[in-house]
Amino acid sequence: MKSYIVFDLEWNQSSAGRESSSPRLPFEIFEIGAVKLNEKLEKVSEFHRLIKPCVYRQIHHIISEVTHISPEELEKNGKPFPEVMEEFIEWCGEDYTFCTWGSMDLTELQRNMVYHGLEIPFEFPLLFYDVQKLFSLLYSDGKTRASLDEAVEFFHLKVDAPFHRALDDADYTGKVMSRMDFHSIEEYLSVDYYQTPETKEEEFTLQFPDYTKFVSQIYETRDEVMADKQVTDMVCYKCRRMLRKKIRWFSYGQKFYLCLAVCPEHGPMKGKIRIKKTEDGYVFAVKTQKLVSEEEAERIAQKKEETRIRRAERNKSKKMAQRGDAT
């Protein structure tokens, strides 16, 4: 029977700052809590373990203030991370989907597993429910991200345990899920990017009710990403027609590109490419395509013009500076 594993992590970091942080493990997990929900979103089981730290022995002062946990408690009651993960995976069972509040926990869980030399047993691509995003889609603008305590207050849930402890936060997240109209938006799965496609054969596209998401293989440079025709092509996800670009791809900000295509049958379609980095420094593309209104299409044209003006101003300033150096 299908189940939902709603889990939360608490993690520590170097108390001496980023300079003394391990690049392979910037955040070390010291607590994992989870609840298992059945198909009716009813709680059927729970899991909780403390983990004995091996990288950061001192608790960062902010984390200590928030979680009220001490190194002595972790040393006394914590178990080694590999042992806890073995127990957790066994507890999860066979047919389940992860659910988290936010998108960071799965990435950090896998990063900790790799650091400890454990094999990642999860499916690829790893799809999960970001309950924070789903809450925004249902009860806000789809972009704003509410805190867990705000969602608990929204549903007038009883607060009988403090926030910022793993099991309690997992339990609150499960209760929020059970109060949401969850099944009306369960098509909106999120994808974790810790494991990325390494070859063309591993690339994948996710189809949602009102947009698509394509994840490319890894490349060494941004230019190589944007030279890949499959990355830059625009195809209508309703009629599968190859689309003409009314506004070609242009860089907007430091991390993404925009374009505007037009489907003769379905109208204007916005394309957005985010360039993301892998753990080992490679880059890959996440392309989303979405049908938009004429007003949104006009805003894309305005952004294109803003980008052109800024570029022209930068070039003008650069030339003036060069002339000043020459004199």
Side-chain angles (χ1 to χ4, degrees), residues 14 19 21 26 30 40 44 56 97 101 146 155 178 185 195 233 240 251 296 312:
S14 171
E19 298 76 20
S21 179
F30 63 78
K40 296 180 180 179
V44 295
Y56 306 120
T97 303
W101 189 266
F155 287 118
S178 68
I185 54 169
Q195 298 182 77
D233 276 348
R240 310 310 304 167
S251 176
E296 177 63 20

Side-chain angles (χ1 to χ4, degrees), residues 125-244:
L126 179 52
L127 305 179
F128 70 102
Y129 286 112
D130 179 347
V131 184
Q132 185 183 46
K133 181 183 77 173
L134 300 183
F135 180 84
S136 181
L137 288 172
L138 282 171
Y139 307 109
S140 186
D141 58 5
K143 298 178 181 180
T144 305
R145 295 295 184 258
S147 63
L148 180 56
D149 58 314
E150 289 173 331
V152 167
E153 183 179 359
F154 179 85
F155 287 118
H156 306 291
L157 297 174
K158 183 179 179 181
V159 179
D160 51 7
F163 291 94
H164 305 298
R165 288 301 298 265
L167 181 57
D168 296 327
D169 282 3
D171 194 46
Y172 283 132
T173 302
K175 290 177 180 177
V176 168
M177 281 181 63
S178 68
R179 295 292 295 274
M180 291 166 51
D181 187 10
F182 176 78
H183 293 300
S184 71
I185 54 169
E186 61 183 339
E187 293 177 275
Y188 288 95
L189 283 154
S190 294
V191 57
D192 181 80
Y193 297 118
Y194 186 83
Q195 298 182 77
T196 52
E198 296 186 357
T199 64
K200 276 289 180 187
E201 291 70 29
E202 292 181 346
E203 292 180 337
F204 60 90
T205 299
L206 301 176
Q207 178 79 50
F208 299 97
D210 54 353
Y211 71 97
T212 61
K213 178 178 289 188
F214 166 77
V215 182
S216 80
Q217 69 173 79
I218 58 174
Y219 294 90
E220 291 188 358
T221 67
R222 177 188 293 247
D223 289 341
E224 288 180 338
V225 174
M226 297 305 295
D228 186 333
K229 194 170 183 298
Q230 190 168 358
V231 171
T232 57
D233 276 348
M234 292 289 289
V235 178
C236 179
Y237 53 85
K238 287 185 174 291
C239 62
R240 310 310 304 167
R241 181 186 277 111
M242 181 69 70
L243 303 183
R244 177 183 64 85

Side-chain angles (χ1 to χ4, degrees), residues 46-305:
E46 66 180 39
F47 179 94
H48 177 247
R49 297 289 188 277
L50 293 177
I51 296 168
K52 187 175 298 186
C54 63
V55 178
Y56 306 120
R57 304 279 183 177
Q58 297 298 316
I59 303 294
H60 192 283
H61 68 280
I62 295 179
I63 295 170
S64 178
E65 290 174 5
V66 170
T67 63
H68 303 290
I69 201 163
S70 68
E72 292 76 20
E73 183 179 356
L74 294 179
E75 190 65 31
K76 178 182 178 181
N77 299 321
K79 293 183 177 182
F81 180 83
E83 182 179 334
V84 170
M85 279 309 303
E86 182 179 353
E87 294 175 355
F88 178 61
I89 296 301
E90 183 178 354
W91 174 81
C92 286
E94 296 294 330
D95 186 13
Y96 63 87
T97 303
F98 282 127
C99 308
T100 61
W101 189 266
S103 59
M104 290 184 63
D105 281 355
L106 269 174
T107 294
E108 295 308 324
L109 182 66
Q110 292 171 94
R111 184 180 283 126
N112 275 251
M113 292 176 71
V114 169
Y115 181 86
H116 287 276
L118 303 179
E119 181 179 348
I120 296 176
F122 311 135
E123 293 183 353
F124 175 82
L126 179 52
L127 305 179
F128 70 102
Y129 286 112
D130 179 347
V131 184
Q132 185 183 46
K133 181 183 77 173
L134 300 183
F135 180 84
S136 181
L137 288 172
L138 282 171
Y139 307 109
S140 186
D141 58 5
K143 298 178 181 180
T144 305
R145 295 295 184 258
S147 63
L148 180 56
D149 58 314
E150 289 173 331
V152 167
E153 183 179 359
F154 179 85
F155 287 118
H156 306 291
L157 297 174
K158 183 179 179 181
V159 179
D160 51 7
F163 291 94
H164 305 298
R165 288 301 298 265
L167 181 57
D168 296 327
D169 282 3
D171 194 46
Y172 283 132
T173 302
K175 290 177 180 177
V176 168
M177 281 181 63
S178 68
R179 295 292 295 274
M180 291 166 51
D181 187 10
F182 176 78
H183 293 300
S184 71
I185 54 169
E186 61 183 339
E187 293 177 275
Y188 288 95
L189 283 154
S190 294
V191 57
D192 181 80
Y193 297 118
Y194 186 83
Q195 298 182 77
T196 52
E198 296 186 357
T199 64
K200 276 289 180 187
E201 291 70 29
E202 292 181 346
E203 292 180 337
F204 60 90
T205 299
L206 301 176
Q207 178 79 50
F208 299 97
D210 54 353
Y211 71 97
T212 61
K213 178 178 289 188
F214 166 77
V215 182
S216 80
Q217 69 173 79
I218 58 174
Y219 294 90
E220 291 188 358
T221 67
R222 177 188 293 247
D223 289 341
E224 288 180 338
V225 174
M226 297 305 295
D228 186 333
K229 194 170 183 298
Q230 190 168 358
V231 171
T232 57
D233 276 348
M234 292 289 289
V235 178
C236 179
Y237 53 85
K238 287 185 174 291
C239 62
R240 310 310 304 167
R241 181 186 277 111
M242 181 69 70
L243 303 183
R244 177 183 64 85
K245 297 183 184 72
K246 185 176 181 179
I247 298 176
R248 294 186 177 275
W249 291 103
F250 64 96
S251 176
Y252 189 77
Q254 298 294 316
K255 293 184 178 180
F256 61 87
Y257 297 82
L258 296 175
C259 88
L260 181 68
V262 179
C263 175
E265 182 178 353
H266 298 102
M269 180 173 289
K270 173 184 176 181
K272 184 175 184 179
I273 294 175
R274 286 188 178 273
I275 305 296
K276 293 181 172 287
K277 283 190 175 182
T278 66
E279 292 291 302
D280 47 7
Y282 290 96
V283 292
F284 64 100
V286 177
K287 177 177 68 175
T288 54
Q289 296 184 159
K290 184 176 184 178
L291 289 168
V292 295
S293 65
E294 293 293 343
E295 290 77 13
E296 177 63 20
E298 180 58 31
R299 282 194 287 270
I300 296 171
Q302 291 172 359
K303 289 177 180 179
K304 171 75 170 180
E305 181 62 13

